[in-house]
Amino acid sequence: AFLLALFQRLINDPPQPTRGPTSIRALVIAPTRELAVQIHQDAMLLGQHTQFRMAVVFGGVDYEKQRRQLEDGVDILIGSTAAPHHVLTAAQLAPIMRTRQDRPLFCIDLAVPRDIEPAVNDLDGVYLYDIDSLQAWRDDHGLEGIQIRERFDESIDSLSAGGISGYAQDAI
């Protein structure tokens, strides 16, 4: 479900003309390598009718291959760290955000413990989502796991029929 919201946000906020070729528009951090791969596969399926370039990175594989993929540029980067501490802090991200010139950054942290410091969400133009905020969204909408799956299945059908823009607007 979060991928649809992410895609819709990226569609509604197109990249600035000054965007560099290697600027990443969204970062998704998963708690495990397996989940990062699964999210990437889902993103590729859901995003097949978009122009989004997506990549998945994680430790234990060819670093150079992953680095080259990032050099070619991606819109959505999906990764996993399995780190016991925050790997992205507000102090690290603040100087980067000052250079983004009103370009929002969406971070989705599915790791436990969290990979992204919660204070990142306090930075202008940064939107941090984690398991708790996604669960709160689900609870606010009165959805159970099976209903979320049904909406996901409906989204696949809608994407096939008319592209992402129409469905994602309804889903949000």
PDB file of all heavy atoms in Angstrom, residues 47-73:
ATOM      1  N   GLY A  47       5.198  -0.243 -10.749  1.00  0.00           N
ATOM      2  CA  GLY A  47       5.713   0.913 -11.471  1.00  0.00           C
ATOM      3  C   GLY A  47       6.041   0.667 -12.920  1.00  0.00           C
ATOM      4  O   GLY A  47       6.651   1.518 -13.574  1.00  0.00           O
ATOM      5  N   GLN A  48       5.625  -0.474 -13.451  1.00  0.00           N
ATOM      6  CA  GLN A  48       5.991  -0.808 -14.825  1.00  0.00           C
ATOM      7  C   GLN A  48       5.447   0.177 -15.855  1.00  0.00           C
ATOM      8  O   GLN A  48       5.982   0.286 -16.952  1.00  0.00           O
ATOM      9  CB  GLN A  48       5.588  -2.232 -15.161  1.00  0.00           C
ATOM     10  CG  GLN A  48       4.096  -2.486 -15.181  1.00  0.00           C
ATOM     11  CD  GLN A  48       3.774  -3.952 -15.388  1.00  0.00           C
ATOM     12  OE1 GLN A  48       4.564  -4.678 -15.963  1.00  0.00           O
ATOM     13  NE2 GLN A  48       2.621  -4.382 -14.902  1.00  0.00           N
ATOM     14  N   HIS A  49       4.407   0.927 -15.510  1.00  0.00           N
ATOM     15  CA  HIS A  49       3.841   1.896 -16.448  1.00  0.00           C
ATOM     16  C   HIS A  49       4.272   3.326 -16.109  1.00  0.00           C
ATOM     17  O   HIS A  49       3.662   4.278 -16.575  1.00  0.00           O
ATOM     18  CB  HIS A  49       2.312   1.787 -16.471  1.00  0.00           C
ATOM     19  CG  HIS A  49       1.844   0.434 -16.909  1.00  0.00           C
ATOM     20  ND1 HIS A  49       2.014  -0.030 -18.194  1.00  0.00           N
ATOM     21  CD2 HIS A  49       1.248  -0.566 -16.219  1.00  0.00           C
ATOM     22  CE1 HIS A  49       1.531  -1.267 -18.272  1.00  0.00           C
ATOM     23  NE2 HIS A  49       1.056  -1.607 -17.091  1.00  0.00           N
ATOM     24  N   THR A  50       5.288   3.451 -15.283  1.00  0.00           N
ATOM     25  CA  THR A  50       5.830   4.767 -14.948  1.00  0.00           C
ATOM     26  C   THR A  50       7.233   4.866 -15.538  1.00  0.00           C
ATOM     27  O   THR A  50       7.772   3.891 -16.043  1.00  0.00           O
ATOM     28  CB  THR A  50       5.917   4.959 -13.422  1.00  0.00           C
ATOM     29  OG1 THR A  50       6.954   4.123 -12.896  1.00  0.00           O
ATOM     30  CG2 THR A  50       4.595   4.660 -12.740  1.00  0.00           C
ATOM     31  N   GLN A  51       7.786   6.037 -15.436  1.00  0.00           N
ATOM     32  CA  GLN A  51       9.163   6.255 -15.894  1.00  0.00           C
ATOM     33  C   GLN A  51      10.159   6.125 -14.749  1.00  0.00           C
ATOM     34  O   GLN A  51      11.338   6.406 -14.923  1.00  0.00           O
ATOM     35  CB  GLN A  51       9.277   7.665 -16.511  1.00  0.00           C
ATOM     36  CG  GLN A  51       8.383   7.890 -17.702  1.00  0.00           C
ATOM     37  CD  GLN A  51       8.844   7.105 -18.913  1.00  0.00           C
ATOM     38  OE1 GLN A  51      10.030   6.976 -19.160  1.00  0.00           O
ATOM     39  NE2 GLN A  51       7.906   6.559 -19.662  1.00  0.00           N
ATOM     40  N   PHE A  52       9.710   5.691 -13.567  1.00  0.00           N
ATOM     41  CA  PHE A  52      10.583   5.639 -12.404  1.00  0.00           C
ATOM     42  C   PHE A  52      11.696   4.616 -12.582  1.00  0.00           C
ATOM     43  O   PHE A  52      11.461   3.483 -13.003  1.00  0.00           O
ATOM     44  CB  PHE A  52       9.800   5.301 -11.132  1.00  0.00           C
ATOM     45  CG  PHE A  52       8.762   6.321 -10.764  1.00  0.00           C
ATOM     46  CD1 PHE A  52       7.535   5.924 -10.297  1.00  0.00           C
ATOM     47  CD2 PHE A  52       9.018   7.677 -10.884  1.00  0.00           C
ATOM     48  CE1 PHE A  52       6.563   6.854  -9.957  1.00  0.00           C
ATOM     49  CE2 PHE A  52       8.057   8.617 -10.553  1.00  0.00           C
ATOM     50  CZ  PHE A  52       6.832   8.204 -10.081  1.00  0.00           C
ATOM     51  N   ARG A  53      12.890   5.039 -12.232  1.00  0.00           N
ATOM     52  CA  ARG A  53      14.035   4.126 -12.202  1.00  0.00           C
ATOM     53  C   ARG A  53      14.204   3.686 -10.757  1.00  0.00           C
ATOM     54  O   ARG A  53      14.239   4.521  -9.857  1.00  0.00           O
ATOM     55  CB  ARG A  53      15.292   4.840 -12.704  1.00  0.00           C
ATOM     56  CG  ARG A  53      15.170   5.230 -14.188  1.00  0.00           C
ATOM     57  CD  ARG A  53      16.273   6.161 -14.609  1.00  0.00           C
ATOM     58  NE  ARG A  53      16.079   7.402 -13.855  1.00  0.00           N
ATOM     59  CZ  ARG A  53      17.005   8.336 -13.708  1.00  0.00           C
ATOM     60  NH1 ARG A  53      18.184   8.195 -14.239  1.00  0.00           N
ATOM     61  NH2 ARG A  53      16.749   9.428 -13.015  1.00  0.00           N
ATOM     62  N   MET A  54      14.280   2.377 -10.535  1.00  0.00           N
ATOM     63  CA  MET A  54      14.330   1.839  -9.183  1.00  0.00           C
ATOM     64  C   MET A  54      15.526   0.905  -9.039  1.00  0.00           C
ATOM     65  O   MET A  54      15.924   0.249 -10.002  1.00  0.00           O
ATOM     66  CB  MET A  54      13.038   1.090  -8.871  1.00  0.00           C
ATOM     67  CG  MET A  54      11.827   1.992  -8.884  1.00  0.00           C
ATOM     68  SD  MET A  54      10.287   1.098  -8.724  1.00  0.00           S
ATOM     69  CE  MET A  54       9.698   1.190 -10.407  1.00  0.00           C
ATOM     70  N   ALA A  55      16.051   0.868  -7.819  1.00  0.00           N
ATOM     71  CA  ALA A  55      17.182  -0.020  -7.543  1.00  0.00           C
ATOM     72  C   ALA A  55      17.041  -0.554  -6.129  1.00  0.00           C
ATOM     73  O   ALA A  55      16.425   0.076  -5.265  1.00  0.00           O
ATOM     74  CB  ALA A  55      18.507   0.728  -7.693  1.00  0.00           C
ATOM     75  N   VAL A  56      17.631  -1.716  -5.900  1.00  0.00           N
ATOM     76  CA  VAL A  56      17.692  -2.297  -4.566  1.00  0.00           C
ATOM     77  C   VAL A  56      19.175  -2.534  -4.240  1.00  0.00           C
ATOM     78  O   VAL A  56      19.932  -2.993  -5.099  1.00  0.00           O
ATOM     79  CB  VAL A  56      16.869  -3.605  -4.459  1.00  0.00           C
ATOM     80  CG1 VAL A  56      17.370  -4.679  -5.398  1.00  0.00           C
ATOM     81  CG2 VAL A  56      16.829  -4.112  -3.026  1.00  0.00           C
ATOM     82  N   VAL A  57      19.572  -2.165  -3.032  1.00  0.00           N
ATOM     83  CA  VAL A  57      20.957  -2.354  -2.605  1.00  0.00           C
ATOM     84  C   VAL A  57      20.970  -2.954  -1.208  1.00  0.00           C
ATOM     85  O   VAL A  57      20.094  -2.682  -0.390  1.00  0.00           O
ATOM     86  CB  VAL A  57      21.758  -1.027  -2.620  1.00  0.00           C
ATOM     87  CG1 VAL A  57      21.883  -0.477  -4.025  1.00  0.00           C
ATOM     88  CG2 VAL A  57      21.145   0.006  -1.704  1.00  0.00           C
ATOM     89  N   PHE A  58      21.988  -3.783  -0.959  1.00  0.00           N
ATOM     90  CA  PHE A  58      22.176  -4.371   0.365  1.00  0.00           C
ATOM     91  C   PHE A  58      23.562  -4.981   0.418  1.00  0.00           C
ATOM     92  O   PHE A  58      24.219  -5.163  -0.617  1.00  0.00           O
ATOM     93  CB  PHE A  58      21.103  -5.421   0.690  1.00  0.00           C
ATOM     94  CG  PHE A  58      20.803  -6.368  -0.437  1.00  0.00           C
ATOM     95  CD1 PHE A  58      21.627  -7.449  -0.701  1.00  0.00           C
ATOM     96  CD2 PHE A  58      19.695  -6.172  -1.229  1.00  0.00           C
ATOM     97  CE1 PHE A  58      21.349  -8.311  -1.739  1.00  0.00           C
ATOM     98  CE2 PHE A  58      19.402  -7.029  -2.270  1.00  0.00           C
ATOM     99  CZ  PHE A  58      20.239  -8.102  -2.524  1.00  0.00           C
ATOM    100  N   GLY A  59      24.006  -5.283   1.616  1.00  0.00           N
ATOM    101  CA  GLY A  59      25.338  -5.837   1.808  1.00  0.00           C
ATOM    102  C   GLY A  59      25.442  -7.290   1.366  1.00  0.00           C
ATOM    103  O   GLY A  59      24.444  -7.977   1.175  1.00  0.00           O
ATOM    104  N   GLY A  60      26.680  -7.715   1.181  1.00  0.00           N
ATOM    105  CA  GLY A  60      26.935  -9.110   0.873  1.00  0.00           C
ATOM    106  C   GLY A  60      26.915  -9.458  -0.595  1.00  0.00           C
ATOM    107  O   GLY A  60      26.991 -10.634  -0.956  1.00  0.00           O
ATOM    108  N   VAL A  61      26.776  -8.460  -1.468  1.00  0.00           N
ATOM    109  CA  VAL A  61      26.795  -8.707  -2.916  1.00  0.00           C
ATOM    110  C   VAL A  61      27.794  -7.753  -3.559  1.00  0.00           C
ATOM    111  O   VAL A  61      28.398  -6.917  -2.890  1.00  0.00           O
ATOM    112  CB  VAL A  61      25.400  -8.552  -3.560  1.00  0.00           C
ATOM    113  CG1 VAL A  61      24.431  -9.564  -2.997  1.00  0.00           C
ATOM    114  CG2 VAL A  61      24.850  -7.157  -3.364  1.00  0.00           C
ATOM    115  N   ASP A  62      27.934  -7.838  -4.860  1.00  0.00           N
ATOM    116  CA  ASP A  62      28.905  -7.050  -5.600  1.00  0.00           C
ATOM    117  C   ASP A  62      28.681  -5.547  -5.407  1.00  0.00           C
ATOM    118  O   ASP A  62      27.776  -4.956  -5.990  1.00  0.00           O
ATOM    119  CB  ASP A  62      28.807  -7.420  -7.091  1.00  0.00           C
ATOM    120  CG  ASP A  62      29.869  -6.757  -7.944  1.00  0.00           C
ATOM    121  OD1 ASP A  62      30.619  -5.901  -7.424  1.00  0.00           O
ATOM    122  OD2 ASP A  62      29.947  -7.106  -9.129  1.00  0.00           O
ATOM    123  N   TYR A  63      29.534  -4.919  -4.605  1.00  0.00           N
ATOM    124  CA  TYR A  63      29.419  -3.496  -4.316  1.00  0.00           C
ATOM    125  C   TYR A  63      29.561  -2.659  -5.577  1.00  0.00           C
ATOM    126  O   TYR A  63      28.812  -1.701  -5.787  1.00  0.00           O
ATOM    127  CB  TYR A  63      30.470  -3.091  -3.283  1.00  0.00           C
ATOM    128  CG  TYR A  63      30.564  -1.605  -3.085  1.00  0.00           C
ATOM    129  CD1 TYR A  63      29.628  -0.937  -2.303  1.00  0.00           C
ATOM    130  CD2 TYR A  63      31.572  -0.863  -3.685  1.00  0.00           C
ATOM    131  CE1 TYR A  63      29.690   0.432  -2.132  1.00  0.00           C
ATOM    132  CE2 TYR A  63      31.643   0.512  -3.521  1.00  0.00           C
ATOM    133  CZ  TYR A  63      30.709   1.152  -2.738  1.00  0.00           C
ATOM    134  OH  TYR A  63      30.772   2.500  -2.586  1.00  0.00           O
ATOM    135  N   GLU A  64      30.512  -2.979  -6.417  1.00  0.00           N
ATOM    136  CA  GLU A  64      30.749  -2.195  -7.633  1.00  0.00           C
ATOM    137  C   GLU A  64      29.534  -2.194  -8.555  1.00  0.00           C
ATOM    138  O   GLU A  64      29.202  -1.174  -9.152  1.00  0.00           O
ATOM    139  CB  GLU A  64      31.981  -2.700  -8.386  1.00  0.00           C
ATOM    140  CG  GLU A  64      33.291  -2.235  -7.783  1.00  0.00           C
ATOM    141  CD  GLU A  64      33.403  -0.710  -7.725  1.00  0.00           C
ATOM    142  OE1 GLU A  64      33.141  -0.046  -8.758  1.00  0.00           O
ATOM    143  OE2 GLU A  64      33.740  -0.189  -6.654  1.00  0.00           O
ATOM    144  N   LYS A  65      28.890  -3.328  -8.684  1.00  0.00           N
ATOM    145  CA  LYS A  65      27.691  -3.405  -9.529  1.00  0.00           C
ATOM    146  C   LYS A  65      26.599  -2.479  -8.989  1.00  0.00           C
ATOM    147  O   LYS A  65      25.970  -1.746  -9.745  1.00  0.00           O
ATOM    148  CB  LYS A  65      27.185  -4.848  -9.586  1.00  0.00           C
ATOM    149  CG  LYS A  65      25.929  -5.031 -10.412  1.00  0.00           C
ATOM    150  CD  LYS A  65      25.472  -6.479 -10.411  1.00  0.00           C
ATOM    151  CE  LYS A  65      24.168  -6.637 -11.157  1.00  0.00           C
ATOM    152  NZ  LYS A  65      23.626  -7.985 -11.050  1.00  0.00           N
ATOM    153  N   GLN A  66      26.398  -2.499  -7.673  1.00  0.00           N
ATOM    154  CA  GLN A  66      25.399  -1.629  -7.069  1.00  0.00           C
ATOM    155  C   GLN A  66      25.791  -0.156  -7.219  1.00  0.00           C
ATOM    156  O   GLN A  66      24.947   0.693  -7.507  1.00  0.00           O
ATOM    157  CB  GLN A  66      25.214  -1.979  -5.589  1.00  0.00           C
ATOM    158  CG  GLN A  66      24.588  -3.354  -5.392  1.00  0.00           C
ATOM    159  CD  GLN A  66      24.348  -3.670  -3.941  1.00  0.00           C
ATOM    160  OE1 GLN A  66      23.431  -3.126  -3.335  1.00  0.00           O
ATOM    161  NE2 GLN A  66      25.170  -4.545  -3.374  1.00  0.00           N
ATOM    162  N   ARG A  67      27.062   0.160  -7.059  1.00  0.00           N
ATOM    163  CA  ARG A  67      27.527   1.534  -7.200  1.00  0.00           C
ATOM    164  C   ARG A  67      27.288   2.043  -8.621  1.00  0.00           C
ATOM    165  O   ARG A  67      26.810   3.155  -8.810  1.00  0.00           O
ATOM    166  CB  ARG A  67      29.011   1.640  -6.845  1.00  0.00           C
ATOM    167  CG  ARG A  67      29.525   3.078  -6.828  1.00  0.00           C
ATOM    168  CD  ARG A  67      31.018   3.142  -6.568  1.00  0.00           C
ATOM    169  NE  ARG A  67      31.790   2.455  -7.586  1.00  0.00           N
ATOM    170  CZ  ARG A  67      31.996   2.911  -8.821  1.00  0.00           C
ATOM    171  NH1 ARG A  67      31.456   4.036  -9.217  1.00  0.00           N
ATOM    172  NH2 ARG A  67      32.729   2.227  -9.675  1.00  0.00           N
ATOM    173  N   ARG A  68      27.582   1.218  -9.611  1.00  0.00           N
ATOM    174  CA  ARG A  68      27.352   1.613 -11.005  1.00  0.00           C
ATOM    175  C   ARG A  68      25.864   1.862 -11.267  1.00  0.00           C
ATOM    176  O   ARG A  68      25.498   2.785 -11.987  1.00  0.00           O
ATOM    177  CB  ARG A  68      27.900   0.557 -11.967  1.00  0.00           C
ATOM    178  CG  ARG A  68      29.410   0.582 -12.107  1.00  0.00           C
ATOM    179  CD  ARG A  68      29.891  -0.299 -13.250  1.00  0.00           C
ATOM    180  NE  ARG A  68      29.455  -1.687 -13.131  1.00  0.00           N
ATOM    181  CZ  ARG A  68      30.093  -2.634 -12.453  1.00  0.00           C
ATOM    182  NH1 ARG A  68      31.213  -2.344 -11.805  1.00  0.00           N
ATOM    183  NH2 ARG A  68      29.627  -3.854 -12.397  1.00  0.00           N
ATOM    184  N   GLN A  69      25.025   1.029 -10.669  1.00  0.00           N
ATOM    185  CA  GLN A  69      23.587   1.202 -10.835  1.00  0.00           C
ATOM    186  C   GLN A  69      23.149   2.561 -10.279  1.00  0.00           C
ATOM    187  O   GLN A  69      22.351   3.262 -10.894  1.00  0.00           O
ATOM    188  CB  GLN A  69      22.849   0.066 -10.128  1.00  0.00           C
ATOM    189  CG  GLN A  69      21.369   0.030 -10.362  1.00  0.00           C
ATOM    190  CD  GLN A  69      20.720  -1.174  -9.698  1.00  0.00           C
ATOM    191  OE1 GLN A  69      21.284  -1.802  -8.804  1.00  0.00           O
ATOM    192  NE2 GLN A  69      19.521  -1.490 -10.123  1.00  0.00           N
ATOM    193  N   LEU A  70      23.707   2.948  -9.153  1.00  0.00           N
ATOM    194  CA  LEU A  70      23.368   4.237  -8.563  1.00  0.00           C
ATOM    195  C   LEU A  70      23.925   5.389  -9.392  1.00  0.00           C
ATOM    196  O   LEU A  70      23.299   6.442  -9.508  1.00  0.00           O
ATOM    197  CB  LEU A  70      23.873   4.326  -7.127  1.00  0.00           C
ATOM    198  CG  LEU A  70      23.203   3.368  -6.138  1.00  0.00           C
ATOM    199  CD1 LEU A  70      23.842   3.482  -4.774  1.00  0.00           C
ATOM    200  CD2 LEU A  70      21.715   3.615  -6.077  1.00  0.00           C
ATOM    201  N   GLU A  71      25.091   5.197  -9.979  1.00  0.00           N
ATOM    202  CA  GLU A  71      25.667   6.234 -10.841  1.00  0.00           C
ATOM    203  C   GLU A  71      24.789   6.495 -12.061  1.00  0.00           C
ATOM    204  O   GLU A  71      24.747   7.613 -12.574  1.00  0.00           O
ATOM    205  CB  GLU A  71      27.074   5.838 -11.298  1.00  0.00           C
ATOM    206  CG  GLU A  71      28.125   6.021 -10.242  1.00  0.00           C
ATOM    207  CD  GLU A  71      29.499   5.576 -10.724  1.00  0.00           C
ATOM    208  OE1 GLU A  71      29.609   4.965 -11.806  1.00  0.00           O
ATOM    209  OE2 GLU A  71      30.463   5.849  -9.998  1.00  0.00           O
ATOM    210  N   ASP A  72      24.104   5.462 -12.524  1.00  0.00           N
ATOM    211  CA  ASP A  72      23.201   5.623 -13.668  1.00  0.00           C
ATOM    212  C   ASP A  72      21.948   6.410 -13.280  1.00  0.00           C
ATOM    213  O   ASP A  72      21.211   6.858 -14.149  1.00  0.00           O
ATOM    214  CB  ASP A  72      22.793   4.259 -14.240  1.00  0.00           C
ATOM    215  CG  ASP A  72      23.958   3.535 -14.896  1.00  0.00           C
ATOM    216  OD1 ASP A  72      24.949   4.206 -15.259  1.00  0.00           O
ATOM    217  OD2 ASP A  72      23.868   2.302 -15.043  1.00  0.00           O
ATOM    218  N   GLY A  73      21.709   6.559 -11.991  1.00  0.00           N
ATOM    219  CA  GLY A  73      20.589   7.338 -11.489  1.00  0.00           C
ATOM    220  C   GLY A  73      19.365   6.495 -11.186  1.00  0.00           C
ATOM    221  O   GLY A  73      19.024   5.596 -11.942  1.00  0.00           O
TER     222      GLY A  73
END
